[in-house]
Amino acid sequence: MAGYSAYQLDPGSLEPLVLTQQHTHRSRDIWDGSVNMILNTRRCDGKLWDLVKKYPIHPRVLEVIELSGLYGVYKSNRPIIDRSLITSLVERWRPETHTFHFRTGEATITLQDVEVLYGLPVNGDPVLGDESMRTIGDWQNICQRLLGFIPRLEDFNRSSLKVTALNAHMLEQLQLPDLATQDIINQMARCYMFWMIAGMMMADTSGNYLKLMYLPMLEDLNVVSSYSWGSATLACLYRFLCKASQSNQNEIAGFLQLLQIWA
């Protein structure tokens, strides 16, 4: 009995040389009883799906989206995110190996999962984003050319755009005439695609801003499908899983729909 009393159960790994971040991992806090918190899930695609539900996308605009490689994301619509499930998965995520450590073994989301579940291309050119130094005036010109409107100065936060500004513009352009020019159709398609990319697939923790770094990649619609959107989306999700698994975090972003459906 004396031997049993001296034994102490440790929540960490038997070999600390592999899981080197256990001392700052969320599971350590849970073991110590200092954390009992469900993660806040950040995304800003809610108004997009409300818009699509109330005003179906024009067939000509939908044709452009189908050719972009992002059609699977549009078809998935807006699943309700189970915050408890997401939190439980984060507690099992190990940033050292980029895998979930379950009682039955390790598992992770792969590029094949992304391709099968959403049809996103996982081969092709890398999605780098354009974070070159641009003024708000430069972004206003890009938005006018690619999206069809000029946001106000107060609609910007450095290189991000308020989602309410994009939503307001799209509400004004919903009734597209059948004889609308192809430029107008393309601009409207970019609005939907940009919102899906920056507000859903690679959403950040701001909750109400869309990163403009992805917008220049939608300029030539003929090459949008040549980018490896699936790889970028998965890498972004990995990054937020690693960040959320740390003890000082209370929120998570990224393509959480992918994580939930995979689970």
Side-chain angles (χ1 to χ4, degrees):
M1 295 298 293
Y4 284 105
S5 62
Y7 178 79
Q8 291 185 350
L9 184 64
D10 193 293
S13 60
L14 296 177
E15 178 48 71
L17 295 179
V18 178
L19 302 183
T20 58
Q21 300 183 35
Q22 178 60 28
H23 62 289
T24 60
H25 195 268
R26 184 180 180 85
S27 62
R28 168 65 67 176
D29 293 338
I30 295 172
W31 182 264
D32 294 339
S34 59
V35 168
N36 184 21
M37 179 178 58
I38 303 298
L39 289 170
N40 293 316
T41 53
R42 301 293 187 183
R43 55 180 185 161
C44 52
D45 63 322
K47 290 184 179 295
L48 169 63
W49 302 117
D50 293 340
L51 196 69
V52 171
K53 182 178 180 180
K54 189 174 182 179
Y55 305 100
I57 299 179
H58 192 282
R60 290 178 61 192
V61 175
L62 200 55
E63 288 178 4
V64 178
I65 297 176
E66 289 178 357
L67 296 174
S68 69
L70 307 177
Y71 184 69
V73 178
Y74 159 73
K75 289 293 291 182
S76 70
N77 212 300
R78 183 193 181 188
I80 298 175
I81 296 299
D82 187 337
R83 293 171 56 208
S84 297
L85 172 61
I86 299 299
T87 302
S88 297
L89 289 169
V90 170
E91 292 166 3
R92 294 283 184 172
W93 178 261
R94 300 304 312 201
E96 301 92 340
T97 59
H98 285 174
T99 57
F100 298 99
H101 285 205
F102 299 120
R103 296 182 67 180
T104 54
E106 295 183 51
T108 195
I109 310 173
T110 66
L111 289 174
Q112 185 180 29
D113 295 322
V114 180
E115 186 176 28
V116 170
L117 293 174
Y118 284 93
L120 290 172
V122 296
N123 297 308
D125 297 327
V127 177
L128 302 176
D130 190 346
E131 291 190 300
S132 58
M133 295 300 295
R134 283 193 170 96
T135 64
I136 291 180
D138 294 333
W139 284 121
Q140 285 179 315
N141 293 332
I142 292 174
C143 287
Q144 181 182 24
R145 188 175 74 253
L146 301 185
L147 302 180
F149 79 109
I150 303 176
R152 301 168 301 174
L153 292 177
E154 55 266 32
D155 291 330
F156 293 92
N157 181 13
R158 297 182 180 178
S159 59
S160 296
L161 176 68
K162 275 186 179 179
V163 69
T164 52
L166 181 61
N167 184 56
H169 164 65
M170 294 175 70
L171 283 172
E172 295 175 356
Q173 302 294 322
L174 289 173
Q175 303 300 324
L176 292 177
D178 292 334
L179 297 179
T181 65
Q182 191 59 44
D183 285 342
I184 294 177
I185 295 297
N186 291 345
Q187 287 173 342
M188 199 62 181
R190 289 192 192 95
C191 289
Y192 285 107
M193 291 188 290
F194 172 57
W195 202 341
M196 287 190 294
I197 293 169
M200 187 175 175
M201 295 162 52
M202 287 175 269
D204 60 16
T205 55
S206 68
N208 57 357
Y209 281 92
L210 303 171
K211 282 188 175 293
L212 288 163
M213 60 185 290
Y214 307 112
L215 182 55
M217 303 187 70
L218 302 178
E219 181 164 8
D220 187 351
L221 294 175
N222 293 319
V223 302
V224 171
S225 62
S226 68
Y227 291 111
S228 182
W229 295 107
S231 303
T233 299
L234 185 59
C236 181
L237 179 59
Y238 274 22
R239 176 176 177 269
F240 279 111
L241 281 169
C242 291
K243 187 175 181 180
S245 69
Q246 300 304 299
S247 60
N248 61 341
Q249 298 297 314
N250 62 359
E251 60 186 4
I252 185 174
F255 200 6
L256 300 178
Q257 293 91 323
L258 168 63
L259 176 58
Q260 179 166 297
I261 292 176
W262 172 84

